[in-house]
Amino acid sequence: MARSPTFVEKDRPQEAAVRAELLHGLQATPAVVSPKYLYDALGSRLFAAITELPEYYLTRTEASIFAREIDAMADELPAGLTLVDLGAGNCEKAARLLGPLRISTYVAVDISVDFLRDALERLQQHHPEVDMLGVGSDFSSRLVLPAAVGDGARLLFYPGSSIGNFTPAQALDFLRQMHPAAQGGGLLIGVDLRKPVEVLEAAYDDPLRITAAFNRNLLRHVNQLVGSDFVLADWRHRAFFNSARSRIEMHLEALRSVTVRWPGAERAFAAGERIHTENSYKWRADDFAALLVDAGFSAIRRWTDERGWFAVFLARV
Ligand code: AVJ
């Protein structure tokens, strides 16, 4: 019997709260906008294009690790887990895990439930035996899953090095929230590793300038959300490796002095002044394993590619 997915929306982000958060960041020195605003409909498509770039090794490398090690991963896990996909998007990565990991329930979580509908309905056709639930939730600051996810042991799935957007302190806090949320199951997480700076910087400043478009598109999204009048031609993409903090930083840099206005206020930017839009931390595998232990996880296994560029960790609670 073919089932159909269920959808729930958890705490839809309030327009007023979004405005307040954005305007607070735009008035700060240095100005800052959360990377979650990179992902409007166009931004999500630009990110998908980034994952196809030869320079953006992350997605491809992670996929190669899963392709090679999926049976070893399955050996570590009981059948019948609930797979909770944090940041599911097109559900493509999880689709390859359902069969091999003998998943009984699949929960796709993304910032907007609307991003999930088509993908989850399509996936359900291919896996009629798996219960499927789509959840709209911004879990980036607090991981709260609706009761509908159920009380079975969960395998929390956090691929793509999304954890890289968090500072080490925030990452620890997030992992500590994940530990009880797994309900006796575990965590399967992809983490980008330190590597030569030229490789890192090319991945975030590609010659086709897709990453530049992805970053600059954030200003259009902000204009839409707060009614500001950013002119994209006034801003250039900057991405560089901050070695002391072991992170790629993305910024938007004013090409000339500009004043940006929005209902109720304005902000002047000098030529060369920047808006910080993203951090992407690059971990040492041993440091990340220690972080998992700190967060309460145990029985940690890790797999990497032959270049040692990316790691997938499996941790049990
Ligand atoms: C989705 C956060 C993993 O940090 O590599 C890609 C986002 N930013 N290119 C990353 C991103 C610029 C990506 N994550």
Side-chain angles (χ1 to χ4, degrees):
M1 188 193 72
R3 303 176 195 186
S4 51
T6 311
F7 294 94
V8 295
E9 188 95 46
K10 184 105 186 144
D11 324 315
R12 182 178 263 293
Q14 291 302 296
E15 234 171 90
V18 166
R19 273 183 67 87
E21 182 199 346
L22 280 168
L23 295 181
H24 179 80
L26 288 176
Q27 292 291 22
T29 307
V32 57
V33 174
S34 163
K36 69 185 176 207
Y37 298 109
L38 290 164
Y39 302 92
D40 62 351
L42 178 56
S44 298
R45 292 203 161 102
L46 289 168
F47 177 68
I50 286 172
T51 68
E52 306 279 335
L53 292 170
E55 294 82 10
Y56 194 77
Y57 58 86
L58 288 84
T59 315
R60 207 172 293 115
T61 307
E62 183 182 54
S64 77
I65 296 169
F66 276 111
R68 200 174 61 188
E69 308 288 4
I70 190 67
D71 292 338
M73 293 174 190
D75 286 345
E76 302 285 328
L77 294 165
L81 290 168
T82 295
L83 184 69
V84 180
D85 190 356
L86 299 168
N90 60 17
C91 307
E92 203 185 319
K93 293 178 181 179
R96 292 185 226 117
L97 304 182
L98 297 179
L101 299 187
R102 302 152 295 161
I103 296 299
S104 63
T105 304
Y106 174 55
V107 180
V109 188
D110 213 303
I111 194 152
S112 166
V113 74
D114 302 324
F115 289 174
L116 297 170
R117 286 186 200 280
D118 293 357
L120 207 55
E121 258 146 26
R122 215 173 317 113
L123 192 59
Q124 181 78 85
Q125 308 299 308
H126 288 95
H127 296 273
E129 74 290 358
V130 177
D131 276 317
M132 296 196 182
L133 175 68
V135 178
S137 166
D138 176 11
F139 54 84
S140 62
S141 47
R142 224 160 47 87
L143 179 64
V144 193
L145 295 166
V149 176
D151 53 12
R154 300 167 178 168
L155 180 63
L156 304 180
F157 182 45
Y158 201 40
S161 200
S162 294
I163 191 87
N165 278 160
F166 292 127
T167 65
Q170 290 168 337
L172 178 59
D173 180 70
F174 192 65
L175 294 172
R176 283 188 170 141
Q177 294 181 52
M178 287 178 147
H179 186 265
Q183 296 185 160
L187 168 65
L188 187 59
I189 186 168
V191 182
D192 197 23
L193 304 178
R194 278 190 82 123
K195 61 186 59 62
V197 58
E198 311 76 53
V199 178
L200 288 170
E201 291 187 340
Y204 291 85
D205 197 3
D206 63 276
L208 262 183
R209 306 202 182 186
I210 306 290
T211 308
F214 174 64
N215 195 11
R216 295 167 76 236
N217 175 64
L218 171 136
L219 296 177
R220 295 177 8 132
H221 192 203
V222 169
N223 281 346
Q224 215 174 70
L225 291 169
V226 306
S228 51
D229 63 353
F230 279 101
V231 174
L232 269 66
D234 291 341
W235 299 86
R236 63 166 291 201
H237 167 67
R238 296 295 307 272
F240 53 84
F241 187 59
N242 178 335
S243 171
R245 294 189 145 138
S246 197
R247 69 190 192 196
I248 285 281
E249 296 184 10
M250 289 209 317
H251 300 260
L252 291 159
E253 186 177 295
L255 286 163
R256 52 191 76 85
S257 81
V258 293
T259 298
V260 179
R261 297 179 176 82
W262 56 84
E266 62 182 41
R267 163 81 190 258
F269 291 92
E273 203 173 345
R274 292 171 182 164
I275 303 171
H276 191 172
T277 56
E278 186 172 48
N279 291 319
S280 188
Y281 281 81
K282 307 304 168 188
W283 286 85
R284 285 195 177 86
D286 288 342
D287 292 344
F288 196 81
L291 194 75
L292 287 166
V293 171
D294 243 12
F297 288 95
S298 58
I300 295 156
R301 291 220 42 191
R302 82 174 78 142
W303 296 272
T304 58
D305 55 294
E306 45 299 321
R307 293 182 292 201
W309 280 7
F310 198 96
V312 175
F313 290 83
L314 175 61
R316 302 295 307 272
V317 300

